[in-house]
């Protein structure tokens, strides 16, 4: 074997529409798994998902179910800690290190009055719209909407 | 050697990939862990990457060690 796979690698594109804590976890875990297995990966953050890219907000989303005014999330977080699940911040850093792309939807930024200065520019590769998503998605073998 | 003992999904897979990216062709990377699914998923990833798995050791449900040639 001569090492890393040849030809152009397969690609996964994930729309992160939800800003829910658990769903953002799913997006990053799947994205990291894909990169680790030799695929390219893009996460397109839009609508509620984009809120998670604001500074200090990555792990601040509610649970998609049983949030119970924060009580459910507290419980899940403590169980995740016990199970040694790594933080979203760590997953985001690994995602970047393995060459994953994080894209921010600029229409959502307009709607919500978010400027690039409000966002984690250290994580974001590009500010873009649906055309960029489609350009990425049409050459992807896997696409997910979370 | 990459020590992922006690770590869960997706860390062993990601750490194996990170180590292989840093390794030079011909290097042997050893990954040690306890997460059961990673024991079969790391070799799956290596197949996808076209890398050779030199050996998989360890008891069912216990600590495992996978050796990979970059």
């Amino acid at each position: 074997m001569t090492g890393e796979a040849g030809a152009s690698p397969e690609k996964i594109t994930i729309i992160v529409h939800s800003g829910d804590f658990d769903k953002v976890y799913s997006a990053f875990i799947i994205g990291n798994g894909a990169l680790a297995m030799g695929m390219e990966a893009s996460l397109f953050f839009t609508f509620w998902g984009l809120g998670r890219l604001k500074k200090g907000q990555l792990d601040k989303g509610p649970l998609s179910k049983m949030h119970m005014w924060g009580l459910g999330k507290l419980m899940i977080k403590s169980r995740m800690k016990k199970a040694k699940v790594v933080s979203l911040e760590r997953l985001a850093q690994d995602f970047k290190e393995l060459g994953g792309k994080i894209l921010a939807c600029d229409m959502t930024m307009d709607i919500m009055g978010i400027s690039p200065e409000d966002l984690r520019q250290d994580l974001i590769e590009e500010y873009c719209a649906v055309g960029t998503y489609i350009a990425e998605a049409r050459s992807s073998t896997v696409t997910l909407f979370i | 050697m990459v020590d992922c003992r006690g770590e869960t999904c997706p860390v062993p897979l990601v750490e194996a990939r990170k180590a292989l990216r840093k390794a030079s062709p011909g290097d042997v990377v050893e990954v040690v862990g306890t997460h059961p699914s990673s024991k079969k998923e790391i070799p799956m990833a290596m197949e996808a990457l076209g890398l050779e798995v030199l050996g998989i050791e360890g008891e069912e449900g216990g600590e495992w060690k996978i050796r990979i040639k970059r």
Side-chain angles (χ1 to χ4, degrees):
Chain A
M1 296 274 174
T2 48
E4 310 267 315
S8 75
E10 292 178 285
K11 186 154 78 178
I12 180 169
T13 306
I14 302 176
I15 300 181
V16 189
H17 182 276
S18 172
D20 292 342
F21 179 73
D22 42 333
K23 295 189 177 183
V24 175
Y25 251 103
S26 294
F28 272 109
I29 289 175
I30 296 166
N32 274 319
L35 290 168
M37 296 184 83
M39 294 176 82
E40 290 180 356
S42 298
L43 300 181
F44 187 83
F45 282 77
T46 184
F47 238 85
W48 308 114
L50 188 72
R52 297 282 77 78
L53 291 183
K54 284 194 202 160
K55 288 171 180 156
Q57 293 295 308
L58 194 60
D59 63 349
K60 295 295 188 286
L63 275 191
S64 62
K65 281 189 173 26
M66 298 195 298
H67 183 61
M68 299 186 291
W69 305 280
L71 200 68
K73 183 177 172 187
L74 218 64
M75 210 171 77
I76 289 285
K77 273 188 103 169
S78 100
R79 297 190 72 118
M80 286 170 86
K81 202 173 167 186
K82 226 179 265 174
K84 291 200 73 180
V85 177
V86 292
S87 67
L88 276 173
E89 183 62 39
R90 160 83 183 273
L91 288 172
Q93 296 300 338
D94 284 346
F95 184 79
K96 288 293 284 183
E97 185 179 336
L98 290 181
K101 281 199 281 184
I102 293 178
L103 311 171
C105 169
D106 57 14
M107 189 183 79
T108 303
M109 291 168 68
D110 287 344
I111 296 170
M112 312 259 188
I114 300 169
S115 66
E117 293 73 45
D118 303 325
L119 295 171
R120 290 284 302 272
Q121 298 181 59
D122 57 318
L123 295 178
I124 297 168
E125 172 106 6
E126 200 181 333
Y127 302 86
C128 55
V130 66
T132 306
Y133 162 71
I134 293 295
E136 294 270 333
R138 77 188 313 168
S139 61
S140 296
T141 45
V142 182
T143 58
L144 297 173
F145 184 96
I146 293 179
Chain B
M1 191 188 85
V2 185
D3 188 354
C4 296
R5 283 174 291 191
E7 301 279 4
T8 189
C9 170
V11 173
L13 199 56
V14 169
E15 289 302 318
R17 182 77 177 113
K18 279 160 74 174
L20 284 160
R21 276 166 62 105
K22 287 179 192 135
S24 314
D27 284 355
V28 174
V29 172
E30 244 180 42
V31 189
V32 181
T34 48
H35 179 234
S37 297
S38 295
K39 188 183 173 186
K40 53 177 195 286
E41 289 177 4
I42 290 174
M44 280 160 63
M46 295 315 126
E47 197 188 333
L49 291 165
L51 295 174
E52 188 184 355
V53 175
L54 300 172
I56 307 169
E57 295 166 31
E59 305 282 303
E60 188 79 15
E63 190 175 311
W64 45 258
K65 181 162 91 179
I66 301 170
R67 289 167 59 242
I68 304 148
K69 191 172 169 203
R70 167 72 169 83

